[in-house]
Amino acid sequence: MLKSNSNSSSSSDLPLMISPLTSAPIELFSVVRSKPHLQMSFDRNCNADLQNRFWTLFNYAASFTNYAYTYLTKANCDSHYVTYFGQYQSSARWSLATRNFLNIKTNLDRQLFSITCEQNCNQYVVAFVYPNDRTHLIHLCPWLYQQDLNFQGATFVHELSHYDDIAATRDHVYGDAQAIQLARNFPDKALNNAENHGFFARARPTC
């Protein structure tokens, strides 16, 4: 989910998604900047149990991203690409997808983010970020940990992709079926949609 740092609010600041797991509405889910590895941290609300749960979902997100980036660097098959980013139209679009996942992968590998464990999120909110936050503080909500690990890992990829200095994605649609339809009908929007990045990675694309 995206949130705005501005004081004004609009419907675009509070997008809703339909969870493919629950059919309930969920508010979710370039050049890499230099940030020391040791700056990765948890806030005081992240107890030992939450930290352990986080590292489990982190491993899923890292694995998904490795599959996605490896697939895109091979550039010799396009079935998963077509499913989530639309028909191959130009090398520039493929390169953009590759760059997005390189940035996501780099931020995961170097742990260029911090985690805050929210305690009072709105119902069905699993995570949110502020896209222009260069500290990459990711807000995780209790409901996230009630979902399966595939969902958790994909959500983390989704959230990282939102940052303006990583992939600058937005929330055009939510849900697997909606993401696939977006890729079919509006491929440029699919390439800018966080949900498409999360589902593409979760699919563990291979050639």
Side-chain angles (χ1 to χ4, degrees):
M1 169 186 169
L2 279 174
K3 284 200 171 183
S4 170
N5 276 325
S6 66
N7 291 328
S8 63
S9 61
S10 68
S11 59
S12 62
D13 295 334
L14 298 172
L16 289 175
M17 89 172 261
I18 301 300
S19 166
L21 301 177
T22 64
S23 297
I26 298 176
E27 286 185 289
L28 283 179
F29 91 8
S30 124
V31 175
V32 175
R33 66 195 169 79
S34 228
K35 184 176 179 183
H37 171 89
L38 293 178
Q39 286 192 11
M40 191 281 159
S41 63
F42 296 96
D43 75 358
R44 67 180 63 186
N45 292 325
C46 299
N47 59 31
D49 177 61
L50 289 175
Q51 291 185 34
N52 287 334
R53 291 184 177 205
F54 167 76
W55 288 119
T56 300
L57 80 83
F58 170 87
N59 287 334
Y60 272 71
S63 175
F64 293 165
T65 301
N66 285 334
Y67 272 101
Y69 180 65
T70 299
Y71 170 95
L72 290 165
T73 55
K74 289 182 177 179
N76 60 0
C77 59
D78 63 5
S79 58
H80 283 90
Y81 176 91
V82 169
T83 299
Y84 287 105
F85 298 124
Q87 290 293 329
Y88 181 88
Q89 297 173 329
S90 70
S91 60
R93 295 186 74 257
W94 187 286
S95 295
L96 178 58
T98 305
R99 186 168 71 248
N100 287 352
F101 276 99
L102 173 60
N103 288 345
I104 295 169
K105 174 176 163 54
T106 301
N107 276 265
L108 286 167
D109 290 347
R110 299 181 184 175
Q111 297 174 18
L112 303 180
F113 53 82
S114 295
I115 301 299
T116 181
C117 297
E118 299 288 340
Q119 297 179 315
N120 298 301
C121 296
N122 291 337
Q123 187 178 25
Y124 303 126
V125 176
V126 294
F128 62 91
V129 300
Y130 296 91
N132 62 350
D133 174 13
R134 292 182 62 82
T135 70
H136 296 174
L137 179 63
I138 300 176
H139 304 253
L140 302 182
C141 299
W143 202 62
L144 174 65
Y145 296 108
Q146 298 179 37
Q147 312 309 312
D148 69 37
L149 284 166
N150 287 326
F151 182 94
Q152 293 178 32
T155 295
F156 203 72
V157 173
H158 172 126
E159 297 302 336
L160 275 176
S161 77
H162 274 318
Y163 287 112
D164 292 340
D165 59 348
I166 295 182
T169 63
R170 297 299 179 255
D171 291 319
H172 298 294
V173 301
Y174 298 98
D176 195 15
Q178 292 88 339
I180 291 171
Q181 185 172 2
L182 185 69
R184 186 180 302 119
N185 297 328
F186 302 100
D188 287 340
K189 281 190 174 181
L191 197 53
N192 181 245
N193 193 50
E195 195 79 329
N196 289 66
H197 286 69
F199 279 112
F200 175 77
R202 190 173 80 166
R204 299 179 180 89
T206 56
C207 292

